[in-house]
Amino acid sequence: MSKKAVLGVLAAALAVAYGGSTWWAGTQIKSSYDVALGELPKQTALVRVIERSYERNFLGAVSTVTLELGCPAEAEVAPAASAPAAAPAAATTDVAQATTEGEEEEPTEDDGDAKATPPKPVRITFRDTIRHGPFAGGTLAAAVIDSELVLDAKAQAEAEKLFGKAKPVTAHTKVGFGGGFTSDLTVAPAKLAEEGKGEFAWQGAQARLDMDAARTRLRYDMTMPGMDINTASKGVQVKVGKFTAKADMDGSAGWLLATGKSEGRLDSFELNAPKGLLPGGEGAAPAKSIKVLLQSIDLTGEATIKDGLYASEGAFKGKGKVNETAIDKFEIASSARRIQAAGYKKLADAWLQSTDGAGCGQRSKGQKDAMQALIEQLAPDLKAMAKHSPEAGLDRMLIEIGGQSAELSYSVALAGVTDEDLKLPGNTLLLQRGVLKANARVPVKWIEKLAETGAESGQTPPPELIAGLIEQAEQSGYVKRAGDDVVSQVEFSEGQLKLIGKPVGNFGK
């Protein structure tokens, strides 16, 4: 065979291989869309795929999808009681279909609220322009996808008021041959100014998401440069500084039970209200100006699942200033522990798949009945979770000013629940096995300062009476002195209420 013939055969083989790879890539991408859009409405009754099209050719495709967000129109009437275990379409079935034809529900005192309807659902259409691999858009990938919102003439005109000629939201996604993808999301800067009302300026946002092929591992980095809001009526100014966040999450147990670590940082938050925030009534004293500055705000979170039990913790801390008072440190930390993962997922899925859980038309009598049926259906799972002694609470809320600090914490839990206890009604179970603990500590000088400020408007006793009031409270067993602080403790367990360690009641016995 001649050299030219060999090269010709080789070129033909490469062409066939490239064409086969391109066709395979197109098939894989189409399949991924089908799976993703098929699963989406199963996650919550608040998202529905209204319309979709997928126009494919050899080198690429165009996917257009319209989603409806919010309560479905049918949610004005109650869904069937079995809705939580059914598909989303069944979850919004009109209750009238379950009644005997010709029968009418008797009016009740709740019927006056039955006409209360949820907000009208919102529809969003987005278009994906897909280029098939193996060389898509000049890069080695199974596909490259460019996504954007699709707006009609009216929506486009409204969008241009905020974003100008820029596209409001766009995404560029690179899909790997293994099925994982990296997506760069951009929200355009926006600005709106209305005479006599105020101004709004948003500097946009950027995010990068990395998802594995199994759709169970997600990493993201997000940046929002800042935002400014000014209102003309009261001259209120809000300035939000740069915010960054990142996370590495594992959703193999379901995204409602995602584990991993996350962290974020807000450089600053400023609020300036020279005329106060609340409107003053007739004859009321002039509102005082308010200035708030929060700086170096750090947010952290972590969640784990061990031996089938879910635990999470989060913290929010920083420093700042309120008017002329410098806050050296503030911190809020909360957590949840020993939450049975399987039971929690079942409860959460049922709640999300029900329009009752979403609060759609919940004022009608039919919705109240359906909600009660949902609660009764989920009661066994709630009780099963109780055996693992679940606990949640505010671990610490601390404010430090001028070398002194105030602190508050509380927790709620179930402890020592047995199989015999699970036979009890829910309220009785809570009273006998529920545990509540709360602790508070406040510097006496802070109480005096608050009294001094409040006394000017007649809202609190004068500062000179504070010492006597604290002494009376201490003699009554409500608080006790601990150095320069006043502390109090409340505990409820085994049906017994204790205040600073002393029993004050006997409940549930």
Side-chain angles (χ1 to χ4, degrees):
M1 184 179 291
S2 67
K3 184 177 182 180
K4 288 184 178 180
V6 171
L7 291 176
V9 172
L10 181 59
L14 289 174
V16 171
Y18 182 85
S21 298
T22 300
W23 185 255
W24 173 86
T27 302
Q28 293 300 108
I29 297 301
K30 174 65 165 59
S31 177
S32 296
Y33 270 78
D34 292 340
V35 172
L37 292 174
E39 289 293 327
L40 183 61
K42 298 178 183 179
Q43 307 304 315
T44 172
L46 296 183
V47 179
R48 296 165 296 283
V49 178
I50 299 302
E51 185 178 352
R52 62 170 298 204
S53 66
Y54 196 94
E55 301 175 4
R56 177 183 171 187
N57 57 43
F58 182 73
L59 296 177
V62 175
S63 170
T64 305
V65 178
T66 299
L67 299 178
E68 186 175 74
L69 312 178
C71 298
E74 304 95 307
E76 295 181 22
V77 199
S82 59
T92 57
T93 301
D94 195 320
V95 74
Q97 297 175 353
T99 62
T100 303
E101 186 175 355
E103 289 185 357
E104 294 184 1
E105 187 176 350
E106 294 184 4
T108 69
E109 59 184 23
D110 287 333
D111 286 346
D113 293 331
K115 294 182 180 180
T117 57
K120 186 177 180 180
V122 176
R123 292 190 177 185
I124 298 176
T125 300
F126 59 91
R127 179 191 297 121
D128 292 343
T129 302
I130 306 162
R131 286 170 285 177
H132 298 156
F135 295 101
T139 185
L140 188 63
V144 169
I145 305 171
D146 288 298
S147 308
E148 61 180 320
L149 288 175
V150 179
L151 305 174
D152 58 24
K154 182 178 179 181
Q156 182 64 37
E158 293 297 322
E160 289 184 2
K161 294 179 182 179
L162 284 171
F163 302 98
K165 295 299 182 180
K167 295 180 179 179
V169 181
T170 58
H172 181 77
T173 303
K174 178 180 177 181
V175 183
F177 293 102
F181 64 85
T182 298
S183 185
D184 291 302
L185 177 69
T186 300
V187 181
K191 189 172 184 178
L192 180 65
E194 295 188 23
E195 187 175 352
K197 292 185 178 181
E199 298 181 355
F200 166 81
W202 155 267
Q203 298 179 34
Q206 301 83 39
R208 166 164 285 193
L209 297 85
D210 290 295
M211 180 79 80
D212 69 350
R215 305 295 194 268
T216 59
R217 192 67 181 260
L218 172 67
R219 292 184 296 275
Y220 72 79
D221 288 275
M222 179 177 66
T223 300
M224 292 191 294
M227 177 177 65
D228 294 337
I229 301 174
N230 299 309
T231 64
S233 59
K234 284 206 167 190
V236 177
Q237 297 178 326
V238 176
K239 293 181 177 292
V240 181
K242 181 180 179 181
F243 175 73
T244 57
K246 62 181 180 180
D248 189 344
M249 305 169 67
D250 184 348
S252 55
W255 287 107
L256 289 170
L257 288 165
T259 59
K261 295 182 178 181
S262 61
E263 60 183 73
R265 183 177 180 86
L266 178 62
D267 287 351
S268 63
F269 172 87
E270 298 180 59
L271 169 67
N272 183 15
K275 300 178 182 179
L277 294 174
L278 299 177
E282 186 177 350
K288 292 186 177 181
S289 64
I290 299 175
K291 288 185 178 181
V292 177
L293 172 62
L294 305 180
Q295 296 174 301
S296 304
I297 304 169
D298 291 317
L299 303 94
T300 58
E302 183 174 5
T304 59
I305 295 179
K306 185 177 181 181
D307 298 328
L309 300 180
Y310 177 81
S312 67
E313 57 184 27
F316 171 88
K317 62 180 66 176
K319 60 182 180 180
K321 188 176 183 180
V322 177
N323 291 338
E324 300 305 317
T325 302
I327 301 175
D328 304 321
K329 177 183 179 182
F330 65 83
E331 179 180 352
I332 299 175
S334 61
S335 65
R337 293 171 287 276
R338 299 184 299 278
I339 309 298
Q340 185 194 27
Y344 175 79
K345 186 177 186 304
K346 184 176 180 180
L347 294 172
D349 285 345
W351 189 259
L352 288 173
Q353 291 168 14
S354 168
T355 54
D356 304 303
C360 296
Q362 71 272 29
R363 289 188 178 184
S364 71
K365 180 182 183 301
Q367 284 286 347
K368 291 180 180 179
D369 292 343
M371 177 64 74
Q372 183 61 38
L374 173 63
I375 293 173
E376 292 175 359
Q377 180 176 334
L378 300 180
D381 296 290
L382 284 168
K383 289 184 176 182
M385 293 173 66
K387 291 186 63 176
H388 297 277
S389 301
E391 181 180 0
L394 179 69
D395 299 334
R396 189 182 195 192
M397 184 169 71
L398 178 142
I399 299 177
E400 184 176 311
I401 300 174
Q404 291 187 311
S405 64
E407 191 169 350
L408 171 71
S409 65
Y410 69 83
S411 65
V412 291
L414 288 170
V417 176
T418 65
D419 289 333
E420 193 66 25
D421 291 329
L422 295 180
K423 299 176 183 179
L424 298 172
N427 290 338
T428 304
L429 176 63
L430 288 175
L431 285 172
Q432 293 195 5
R433 297 301 182 187
V435 178
L436 167 67
K437 295 180 180 180
N439 296 274
R441 176 178 59 82
V442 182
V444 175
K445 288 186 177 180
W446 289 20
I447 299 176
E448 294 173 346
K449 183 64 177 178
L450 289 172
E452 180 181 342
T453 303
E456 297 176 3
S457 59
Q459 296 178 348
T460 62
E464 56 268 21
L465 296 181
I466 292 300
L469 292 174
I470 292 176
E471 184 177 349
Q472 290 180 17
E474 189 171 10
Q475 292 175 352
S476 300
Y478 299 134
V479 301
K480 67 178 181 180
R481 293 289 294 262
D484 296 328
D485 300 331
V486 172
V487 300
S488 186
Q489 299 172 338
V490 177
E491 179 179 344
F492 176 84
S493 60
E494 297 182 346
Q496 180 70 62
L497 180 65
K498 296 180 181 179
L499 190 59
I500 314 183
K502 296 181 179 180
V504 294
N506 192 12
F507 302 91
K509 293 289 188 180

